[in-house]
Amino acid sequence: MATAEILQELIRSPDRLQAVVEEAKMLAFEKGILMRTRDAPNSSEVVTFQPFTLLPSPVPKAAYLQALRVQTHLNTLMDKISQDAEFLEEALAGCVQVDDYTAKLFGIFKQVQKEGRTQSIVVSLNRSDYMLDQSEDGSASLKQIEVNTFSVAGFGATDRLPEVHRKILTAVGLAAESEFIMDAKRTSGMCDGLAKGWELYGREKAVVLFLVENVQISRLSHRVLEEELWSRNIPVIRRKFSDVSRGGSLDESKRLFIDGQEVAVVYYRNGYMPQHYTQQWWEARLLMERSLAVKCPDISTHLGGTKKVQQVLARPGVLERFFPNQPQVVEQIRATFTGLYSLDMGPEGDQAVEAALATPDRFVLKPQREGGGNNLYGDELHRVLQALRSSPERMAYILMDKLRPSPVQNILLKRDFPLQVSDCVGELGVFGVFVRNGEETVMNECVGHLLKTRSAQHDEGGISSGAGVSDSPLLV
């Protein structure tokens, strides 16, 4: 690749490299690719650029297009799962016995089921993540890591990163290659889902509530979404769980009010980790789920994005449950699956445990958590699984084949991080928007992509956790 050759030239010319890096960082500031700092996450007086790669990374065009094509089917799948209470109960039966966080979510789900859903409008903002798995014969195939249905991130401030990468490629003499960088204008498409939910709710003065975290390092990225909605004359408010607990209420029609303002849509940007909750905040979550407000996502869609559901979907015949008489759709989705294994008590789970203990480097141990940094690998996987070998506590996890992507070279631009060429691996994410009103599908679209890149020395590359950086796919 020409980009790899340019990187080596830049490393041999430190002054030129420094000039190109400085230009890239200045472009990031110019285009608003910014974030608050980890030292002052709630202050807008100290900001830095969002970490990104100096050059775009090569991604096979065929794999990129495959990921885009399957997204609307995945949107439909997630919605069908959310409507299938029996499936969710069966899939999560073991997990909720031993995982308190999932059990609390499931308890809210059961409460909503018992009372009956008050709102038939559903809005889902999804992201499906993939890696290219390198087989022994040298071929690579697109394999799904996970589907995210809650607090999906990766759009907003970084939408303009392709503009930075095009200018940098031109600056280093690769102007022709810059034509193969795909645009990433995903914020408008993702906001279409929130806007449609607000519109269907049908009360002009009602607001979209961004339910946000206490530590708001991503506030500037959220701001891009907020401004997009305000530009459409859709009012937005930001509140925390504590604000809902203090100032939230339901009227006799179960309309949700926060500090006297009616809420049309609850957009969750917080609540995907156990530490996001106190007992009062669990009660606030239940209040919102019981309300007439449109939830993005609602509790059943949240559960549909759990790792356990992902593992169950990979079983033979399960996709057919949701797509009867649609073998081509089933084939498209299943082609992206890798090996996923249950750790439930019994012979199947025992066999998976023994395989992982014998060859831990072949697997990833996944708990029912989001946000990055939760999965276990290698020696740590072996230690934890050995301790849980005969315990029902192992049902809180699933086992997945560890993917083996072929590294590419790049320079990771992070604050106070040394400039060096690193072997890197990327995760391709594809965004989807799904809106349903009762039985009618109002919107089902694929609205863009992201590329997260990390050093091959790290097992996980979440941008929020600090290991990964934003990237642009250069189609090859």
Side-chain angles (χ1 to χ4, degrees):
M1 281 295 296
T3 51
E5 296 170 8
I6 286 292
L7 287 170
Q8 294 304 321
E9 288 182 19
L10 290 173
I11 287 294
R12 290 193 294 268
S13 306
D15 290 344
R16 187 185 178 205
L17 172 61
Q18 191 62 51
V20 172
V21 168
E22 185 62 23
E23 175 66 11
K25 290 178 181 179
M26 289 302 297
L27 285 167
F29 271 89
E30 174 190 319
K31 297 183 183 302
I33 306 173
L34 303 174
M35 63 186 292
R36 292 169 168 176
T37 66
R38 297 190 181 278
D39 328 348
N42 289 331
S43 171
S44 295
E45 295 185 357
V46 183
V47 298
T48 186
F49 61 91
Q50 286 205 31
F52 63 101
T53 56
L54 179 62
L55 300 180
S57 294
V59 171
K61 183 177 180 180
Y64 171 81
L65 293 176
Q66 179 188 359
L68 295 186
R69 282 193 299 268
V70 77
Q71 186 58 45
T72 54
H73 298 319
L74 291 171
N75 293 341
T76 300
L77 176 61
M78 291 297 103
D79 184 62
K80 286 178 178 288
I81 289 169
S82 76
Q83 298 179 73
D84 194 333
E86 181 182 8
F87 173 79
L88 284 172
E89 291 193 31
E90 291 174 356
L92 297 171
C95 182
V96 297
Q97 295 178 37
V98 294
D99 186 86
D100 184 62
Y101 171 67
T102 308
K104 282 186 165 63
L105 293 174
F106 192 75
I108 293 175
F109 167 73
K110 292 295 288 181
Q111 180 71 21
V112 170
Q113 289 288 314
K114 180 180 177 181
E115 294 182 8
R117 295 192 185 199
T118 55
Q119 181 53 266
S120 60
I121 302 167
V122 171
V123 175
S124 299
L125 304 184
N126 305 319
R127 195 188 75 225
S128 184
D129 291 338
Y130 305 90
M131 294 181 83
L132 284 170
D133 190 34
Q134 195 84 15
S135 62
E136 293 182 2
D137 65 5
S139 61
S141 56
L142 186 78
K143 294 300 176 185
Q144 186 186 81
I145 302 168
E146 62 185 356
V147 176
N148 302 275
T149 63
F150 192 96
S151 188
V152 171
F155 56 102
T158 55
D159 278 17
R160 300 183 70 184
L161 183 59
E163 298 174 37
V164 174
H165 279 143
R166 287 192 186 100
K167 289 196 173 184
I168 294 303
L169 283 186
T170 300
V172 298
L174 297 178
E177 279 82 351
S178 69
E179 298 178 11
F180 299 97
I181 299 175
M182 297 296 99
D183 279 324
K185 296 176 181 177
R186 54 231 163 185
T187 297
S188 179
M190 294 295 268
C191 284
D192 285 345
L194 297 174
K196 181 57 69 174
W198 178 85
E199 176 189 318
L200 291 170
Y201 187 82
R203 295 177 70 87
E204 190 173 312
K205 293 185 178 180
V207 302
V208 174
L209 165 65
F210 278 48
L211 196 287
V212 298
E213 64 270 58
N214 294 326
V215 177
Q216 299 182 43
I217 196 168
S218 57
R219 175 71 173 89
L220 298 178
S221 202
H222 292 190
R223 180 84 175 177
V224 180
L225 283 65
E226 294 169 32
E227 289 300 317
E228 174 73 26
L229 292 172
W230 277 107
S231 73
R232 305 184 194 193
N233 296 315
I234 299 174
V236 176
I237 62 172
R238 295 173 61 83
R239 296 291 188 274
K240 305 171 189 175
F241 272 120
S242 56
D243 299 317
V244 177
S245 183
R246 172 190 52 78
S249 63
L250 304 184
D251 71 4
E252 65 280 357
S253 301
K254 290 194 175 180
R255 293 186 298 167
L256 175 64
F257 289 84
I258 306 292
D259 299 327
Q261 294 179 282
E262 184 176 357
V263 176
V265 179
V266 177
Y267 176 39
Y268 288 106
R269 294 308 302 249
N270 190 31
Y272 52 85
M273 298 280 278
Q275 57 265 38
H276 294 170
Y277 293 91
T278 65
Q279 181 54 42
Q280 279 188 315
W281 298 351
W282 278 115
E283 293 168 4
R285 176 74 188 270
L286 177 60
L287 179 82
M288 291 183 284
E289 293 295 335
R290 293 178 62 239
S291 78
L292 190 64
V294 178
K295 276 73 67 177
C296 180
D298 61 19
I299 189 67
S300 54
T301 304
H302 187 176
L303 289 171
T306 55
K307 304 299 186 294
K308 184 60 184 177
V309 166
Q310 180 190 11
Q311 177 261 306
V312 172
L313 288 173
R315 290 183 182 276
V318 175
L319 284 177
E320 286 81 355
R321 172 179 181 142
F322 299 103
F323 296 101
N325 306 314
Q326 292 180 273
Q328 290 182 326
V329 173
V330 169
E331 183 181 353
Q332 272 189 270
I333 297 174
R334 189 166 284 146
T336 67
F337 286 174
T338 187
L340 292 149
Y341 312 98
S342 170
L343 295 178
D344 287 352
M345 305 307 290
E348 181 186 0
D350 292 344
Q351 185 177 359
V353 168
E354 296 310 315
L357 289 175
T359 52
D361 288 337
R362 286 184 47 221
F363 299 98
V364 182
L365 188 63
K366 292 188 165 189
Q368 312 304 310
R369 299 290 183 270
E370 302 297 337
N374 301 295
N375 298 333
L376 304 176
Y377 303 82
D379 291 342
E380 192 174 13
L381 178 154
H382 189 279
R383 178 182 59 78
V384 171
L385 206 50
Q386 180 68 44
L388 301 178
R389 191 176 200 165
S390 302
S391 169
E393 298 292 325
R394 76 189 197 191
M395 295 191 294
Y397 299 84
I398 68 160
L399 200 65
M400 188 179 93
D401 284 343
K402 186 177 181 181
L403 303 179
R404 307 284 179 180
S406 181
V408 299
Q409 290 193 322
N410 216 320
I411 294 176
L412 307 181
L413 301 184
K414 298 195 278 187
R415 186 185 181 199
D416 300 325
F417 193 75
L419 292 179
Q420 59 191 29
V421 175
S422 301
D423 285 337
C424 300
V425 295
E427 293 182 17
L428 178 67
V430 177
F431 294 98
V433 175
F434 188 92
V435 180
R436 176 171 51 80
N437 187 5
E439 298 297 317
E440 179 190 3
T441 298
V442 178
M443 187 181 296
N444 184 7
E445 297 177 5
C446 171
V447 296
H449 66 270
L450 73 83
L451 186 62
K452 295 181 294 183
T453 292
R454 58 176 165 82
S455 167
Q457 295 178 342
H458 295 289
D459 284 315
E460 291 196 48
I463 293 173
S464 61
S465 63
V469 306
S470 297
D471 199 349
S472 300
L474 180 68
L475 298 191
V476 295

